[in-house]
Amino acid sequence: MSHDDGATYSSAAYNSTIGIQAETVHDSNVYIVHPDASPQERYRVGVQLLEDGVPSRAREMITDAIARGHDSAEVRFHWVLAMLSARTHHDLSTEEVQRLRYTSRLVRTYPEDEWKEALRVTFDLLAVLSTTGSETGPVLKQLQDLPRRQHDAILRHLDLMLTGGLKDDLWAETLERAHAERFGNDRGRRVWAYFAPTPIGARALPPRPSTAAAAKAALPVRAALFVVSSALLWVLALIADPARAIVELPVALGAGLTAARFGVRWWGRRPKPGLAAGAPVPHPRDPASAEDGFTKRVRHSFDHYFSVRRPHGFTSDAWLAHTAQIRSGLAAEIAVLYRESRIGVERVDWLIRYLAENTRDRYNNGTLSDEHSQDQTPGRTKALTIAALAVLGAAALSSFGTAASAGAQPQALWAFLAVLGAAWSGHATAHLWLEVRREEHRLDREAQEYTENLTARQIAYQRWQSFLDATRPSELEMETWLACDKSTFIDEALRHHRLTWRDLITHTILVAPAPSYKRGRVRGGPWRYSHYVFRLFLFLFTQDGIREISAEFNFSDATRRNEQRSNYRFDALTSVQVTENADIGYDLELVLTNGPARKIRVKDADAHQLAPTEDSQEIAEINLSAAGSTHTFRLLEGIAADGKSWLERHGPDSLAPFQIAV
């Protein structure tokens, strides 16, 4: 839509609410400069910042390197680009203009090389821009003759400085490069990785503490009583009938040893309730098992990944039903392990996805039920245990009968007490011993499972982290794609309005987050968004005044939607206000004479995402500079105050010529 009568309009897009879906900060030392860093290192970081679209910080770094003695034509070339990048003539302070002139006089002092030539061409371009009616042919020929690296850097960073016929001559080349690089380096398949949350490290449930301390303490007393009772019974039987007693003793010992050997395989390895599915489940009264928001999101993520990572032949519903118990146990485990403040489930999705794939693969190779089958006691073991216990009981009763057959009343009483004590203490000893053995077996098993699970998860984590690192675009790639999107957007706007660069006094483009975005950044760098709003202001020489075009961009595939256009005169812009809120961010408010105020979100707050070594004010300035906000604010505020006359006073002709001393 457009209005050619000088009016404007407001729509929901101008006042839309920005919603953050996810955000991440990549750990990197690319912009980290230690206080004792060398001038060369400061210069290197400055050049990196310049290439990555942070000229404000680049100016500081390169200026600091020069002040510390690191100076050459190459250094001065990048310093000049940093001074001029994303700026126009009226953005330069008097001091900065003087420093540029001083640098122009230094050009002749440097040895002849490609950097000196690039520096000379840069100042020749500035000289042409600041002189009305200058011949542009020679300087354009010099620019074309530069090596590709310096040539492209000049075109990119002097974009806002170049105007009029000179910009017309270079625009086709700029567009050709933008179209060639816009989808380069597999942009469509890699951008997502920049906004992917940083995965949290691998964890596994450690073995639970042993609960057999009391059993271990009571076991010696019960065992001693059993030994004494059994020995007394055998001695009494030996006194009464040595021949029978000598036979009964080895039978009892053999049966007892057999029962112990096979009984421990039956009762000594019995899993605790809830572990048969192969996944620990918190006790219902454990506060960690409460169905809080995090746990619900974990369960939802498990349902999602299990439904898409399923064996061949299963529908989603059938596989979810088949693995309901396994999912429940795994979800409870992940909820317990990762329930932390400010930890989103997106950071553990890699692990949930791995567990879903692992469950599917175990089903495919037939090992999904192995843990449960290992806990099943074979029937032969049970039969041998029961038979051994029966023989042991018969031998004990036979020994009691032998001891009581002597006929003496006191000996029979002692035999009865001995067999009673042996039976009670034997049962108690066996119970305590099995409890100790069960705990020892459980600890061994859980320690082994912990080691195996943690190792497998660490491997999966490293694999996912390596994949992210290999896929994630660099800052330079992200900035290059963004610059290409800007160029194509500007070109389409010019074509739509049938304008050329000769029709413009200047232009500015404001880049802001669109609704429902994801965002990410490198520590020390600007926020980058999965969805942008580009807002282009074209300031015309004619009485038409200002043309504003805005559109939302999906950064992954560079698709555009919700394009809107407005036209208004210079004098229609009556007020420009920038509102800063530490908890919300920056808003730009435009007030027009014939329409409601428009509030434009420029950036969201980010103080809670800062590292301890980062300064919130510095990061805010970096983000505003990268978004083109500083330049846009100055332009709009100047026009709101003085109208078109402000632009004319600060146009290219107002810049004193740069002359290179020879």
Side-chain angles (χ1 to χ4, degrees):
M1 287 184 256
S2 64
H3 291 244
D4 295 326
D5 57 356
T8 187
Y9 67 95
S10 176
S11 74
Y14 288 119
N15 299 288
S16 54
T17 301
I18 303 298
I20 303 175
Q21 291 182 329
E23 55 187 68
T24 185
V25 180
H26 307 300
D27 288 321
S28 174
N29 59 0
V30 65
Y31 301 141
I32 304 301
V33 179
H34 298 287
D36 57 348
S38 66
Q40 291 79 6
E41 177 64 16
R42 294 174 185 273
Y43 167 70
R44 183 198 66 78
V45 173
V47 172
Q48 188 69 56
L49 286 162
L50 179 63
E51 292 179 345
D52 294 346
V54 193
S56 58
R57 282 282 289 152
R59 287 194 290 272
E60 297 176 12
M61 286 290 124
I62 301 176
T63 299
D64 194 15
I66 294 174
R68 294 170 183 260
H70 186 53
D71 195 5
S72 67
E74 178 184 354
V75 174
R76 290 287 179 171
F77 173 74
H78 286 110
W79 178 82
V80 171
L81 294 187
M83 291 292 291
L84 302 177
S85 183
R87 306 172 91 187
T88 60
H89 307 84
H90 55 267
D91 294 321
L92 299 172
S93 67
T94 302
E95 179 184 358
E96 288 172 334
V97 172
Q98 292 174 349
R99 292 169 69 183
L100 283 168
R101 290 202 184 97
Y102 170 76
T103 301
S104 71
R105 294 193 293 270
L106 292 178
V107 174
R108 65 181 179 86
T109 66
Y110 298 119
E112 292 293 336
D113 60 13
E114 62 183 12
W115 296 107
K116 178 177 180 177
E117 181 61 20
L119 189 58
R120 181 186 292 117
V121 170
T122 303
F123 280 113
D124 285 346
L125 280 170
L126 292 178
V128 169
L129 290 170
S130 60
T131 305
T132 304
S134 297
E135 177 61 40
T136 62
V139 69
L140 290 178
K141 177 63 168 59
Q142 295 174 31
L143 180 62
Q144 293 294 340
D145 291 341
L146 288 177
R148 179 65 181 269
R149 179 181 178 184
Q150 289 86 349
H151 170 272
D152 291 351
I154 291 174
L155 284 186
R156 173 186 171 190
H157 294 291
L158 267 66
D159 176 64
L160 290 181
M161 298 290 294
L162 302 175
T163 57
L166 184 59
K167 186 63 175 279
D168 268 338
D169 293 333
L170 296 172
W171 185 236
E173 185 178 349
T174 300
L175 279 180
E176 181 180 358
R177 188 176 68 255
H179 287 304
E181 297 178 350
R182 191 181 185 192
F183 296 102
N185 296 332
D186 207 10
R187 171 182 178 174
R189 297 174 62 89
R190 294 175 58 214
V191 166
W192 68 268
Y194 190 89
F195 305 104
T198 302
I200 196 168
R203 300 176 187 174
L205 280 180
R208 291 167 294 167
S210 175
T211 59
K216 285 184 178 181
L219 181 59
V221 177
R222 303 296 193 278
L225 181 58
F226 174 72
V227 170
V228 171
S229 300
S230 300
L232 177 60
L233 179 62
W234 183 72
V235 168
L236 292 174
L238 189 63
I239 294 172
D241 189 343
R244 290 182 61 184
I246 291 175
V247 174
E248 292 166 348
L249 177 61
V251 171
L253 288 175
L257 292 175
T258 301
R261 177 183 177 184
F262 292 99
V264 74
R265 298 181 185 179
W266 184 359
W267 294 297
R269 296 189 178 185
R270 185 173 55 197
K272 289 186 177 292
L275 296 181
V281 181
H283 191 278
R285 294 186 180 180
D286 185 349
S289 66
E291 192 74 5
D292 59 9
F294 178 75
T295 302
K296 290 180 180 178
R297 290 191 295 273
V298 167
R299 293 188 183 279
H300 177 76
S301 186
F302 266 101
D303 291 344
H304 167 72
Y305 283 112
F306 267 75
S307 67
V308 297
R309 262 75 171 178
R310 61 183 186 272
H312 179 71
F314 273 91
T315 65
S316 295
D317 292 340
W319 181 240
L320 290 177
H322 186 76
T323 58
Q325 187 178 5
I326 294 176
R327 286 199 331 278
S328 178
L330 290 173
E333 177 186 351
I334 298 305
V336 169
L337 287 174
Y338 291 97
R339 181 180 286 104
E340 299 176 4
S341 175
R342 307 180 75 86
I343 296 296
V345 70
E346 297 84 6
R347 296 189 63 189
V348 295
D349 273 344
W350 70 270
L351 178 55
I352 297 173
R353 182 170 54 249
Y354 160 75
L355 293 173
E357 294 170 350
N358 178 258
T359 303
R360 176 198 62 195
D361 295 343
R362 287 168 56 204
Y363 176 85
N364 287 335
N365 59 33
T367 61
L368 184 59
S369 60
D370 277 1
E371 294 177 2
H372 181 70
S373 62
Q374 288 174 1
D375 290 326
Q376 301 302 311
T377 304
R380 178 173 173 273
T381 299
K382 294 181 179 180
L384 288 173
T385 303
I386 294 173
L389 289 175
V391 172
L392 178 61
L397 290 176
S398 178
S399 296
F400 169 71
T402 301
S405 65
Q409 187 69 24
Q411 187 169 337
L413 178 60
W414 280 109
F416 175 76
L417 293 176
V419 75
L420 186 63
W424 177 83
S425 60
H427 178 270
T429 300
H431 175 76
L432 294 173
W433 179 65
L434 289 173
E435 183 177 349
V436 171
R437 288 301 303 270
R438 275 198 298 265
E439 278 298 285
E440 290 176 348
H441 172 69
R442 181 189 63 79
L443 284 173
D444 290 342
R445 182 181 63 182
E446 290 186 3
Q448 181 181 1
E449 290 176 352
Y450 170 75
T451 301
E452 292 174 352
N453 289 340
L454 184 60
T455 300
R457 294 175 186 186
Q458 286 174 336
I459 293 173
Y461 169 79
Q462 291 297 335
R463 186 166 55 244
W464 177 247
Q465 184 67 66
S466 298
F467 176 72
L468 280 181
D469 292 340
T471 307
R472 183 183 301 119
S474 67
E475 290 297 293
L476 178 58
E477 288 174 318
M478 294 291 287
E479 182 62 26
T480 298
W481 293 329
L482 182 61
C484 292
D485 288 343
K486 291 179 183 178
S487 295
T488 55
F489 180 57
I490 293 172
D491 180 62
E492 291 180 15
L494 292 174
R495 290 176 181 274
H496 176 82
H497 289 290
R498 298 181 181 179
L499 297 172
T500 69
W501 289 102
R502 300 174 190 271
D503 300 319
L504 304 182
I505 301 174
T506 188
H507 76 288
T508 184
I509 186 167
L510 182 64
V511 179
S516 301
Y517 60 77
K518 297 178 182 179
R519 67 177 182 177
R521 69 180 180 92
V522 169
R523 294 201 184 278
W527 284 112
R528 302 186 185 278
Y529 301 91
S530 61
H531 292 83
Y532 282 98
V533 171
F534 287 178
R535 184 168 276 104
L536 173 65
F537 296 91
L538 302 174
F539 301 89
L540 309 180
F541 278 112
T542 67
Q543 62 181 359
D544 292 339
I546 303 171
R547 292 191 176 177
E548 177 188 346
I549 307 97
S550 68
E552 294 181 17
F553 270 79
N554 183 331
F555 192 72
S556 296
D557 55 13
T559 55
R560 189 173 72 232
R561 65 188 183 95
N562 293 339
E563 183 167 314
Q564 300 176 349
R565 304 183 188 94
S566 298
N567 302 318
Y568 41 90
R569 300 182 306 275
F570 287 113
D571 57 6
L573 183 61
T574 60
S575 175
V576 176
Q577 182 176 352
V578 179
T579 304
E580 176 184 359
N581 188 312
D583 297 326
I584 299 177
Y586 284 81
D587 287 329
L588 173 66
E589 187 174 69
L590 300 181
V591 179
L592 299 151
T593 56
N594 55 354
R598 296 213 315 272
K599 184 172 290 187
I600 301 169
R601 173 61 50 84
V602 177
K603 67 176 290 292
D604 281 333
D606 50 16
H608 65 283
Q609 284 286 343
L610 300 181
T613 56
E614 292 181 312
D615 179 77
S616 59
Q617 185 61 36
E618 181 179 277
I619 296 299
E621 291 175 359
I622 287 174
N623 283 295
L624 289 173
S625 174
S629 306
T630 305
H631 172 61
T632 302
F633 292 169
R634 186 176 287 111
L635 263 177
L636 294 177
E637 288 171 348
I639 294 173
D642 298 328
K644 183 178 179 181
S645 60
W646 185 89
L647 280 176
E648 294 172 344
R649 289 199 308 272
H650 294 80
D653 294 340
S654 66
L655 184 64
F658 285 92
Q659 299 296 335
I660 300 177
V662 296

